[in-house]
Amino acid sequence: METMSEPAKVWTRDQVSGEKRNVWTALKRGLRGRCPRCGEGKLFRAFLKVDDHCSVCGLDYTPHRADDLPAYLVIVIVGHIVVPMILWIETDYSPSVPLQLSIYLPLTLILSLVLLQPVKGAVVGVQWALRMHGFDEKNPEP
């Protein structure tokens, strides 16, 4: 018995051609919470809820799959800000533990909440620019 499989589909420049999508522009627009295509419409309808479509250009946002990546990126960013500051203050000033906790815990929480939406917007913008998931009209996959 012989098994037959379909040949693998290969991406070509002709299949990907279409509107030009600049990754850096889409990332910056996403950081501002704007549509990655036009930069005018809102990306979010609530704090972390991505809207269904752009109110200006009509881009469909439903294919995005940001999942947990924004949270991981925020943890890395906040960690790189807070940990060196903690080490510097501890080695130079050595304040009491209750004082440190009363500063570092709220600072970490506030930084995390402030960065979460812009980072999620940037992730959605990069997904759109790189034609990931359903953001590609000419996807060769069925």
Side-chain angles (χ1 to χ4, degrees), residues 2-142:
E2 191 175 313
T3 59
M4 304 275 298
S5 63
E6 292 183 29
K9 300 209 180 200
V10 179
W11 285 89
T12 63
R13 288 193 182 270
D14 297 331
Q15 292 171 322
V16 180
S17 66
E19 72 177 304
K20 295 286 184 184
R21 298 182 181 181
N22 187 331
V23 175
W24 294 108
T25 303
L27 185 134
K28 286 187 268 185
R29 289 174 177 170
L31 278 171
R32 291 189 344 249
R34 297 292 176 200
C35 173
R37 183 193 304 175
C38 68
E40 299 294 323
K42 286 185 171 182
L43 186 59
F44 296 97
R45 68 172 182 253
F47 180 62
L48 288 177
K49 297 286 185 192
V50 177
D51 205 351
D52 293 332
H53 64 282
C54 176
S55 59
V56 177
C57 68
L59 175 66
D60 183 21
Y61 300 139
T62 55
H64 91 85
R65 297 290 174 258
D67 297 331
D68 292 335
L69 180 62
Y72 294 136
L73 293 176
V74 167
I75 290 169
V76 169
I77 294 167
V78 171
H80 278 82
I81 294 170
V82 173
V83 171
M85 186 179 69
I86 291 172
L87 292 173
W88 169 63
I89 291 174
E90 178 63 29
T91 55
D92 287 357
Y93 303 106
S94 195
S96 67
V97 173
L99 177 63
Q100 290 184 60
L101 289 176
S102 67
I103 294 171
Y104 303 141
L105 292 178
L107 178 66
T108 303
L109 178 68
I110 291 168
L111 280 174
S112 297
L113 291 175
V114 165
L115 289 174
L116 198 52
Q117 187 182 35
V119 169
K120 185 170 184 174
V123 168
V124 172
V126 168
Q127 287 179 351
W128 173 82
L130 296 178
R131 301 174 192 275
M132 296 172 73
H133 308 296
F135 283 122
D136 187 17
E137 315 77 42
K138 297 181 179 182
N139 188 354
E141 296 298 319

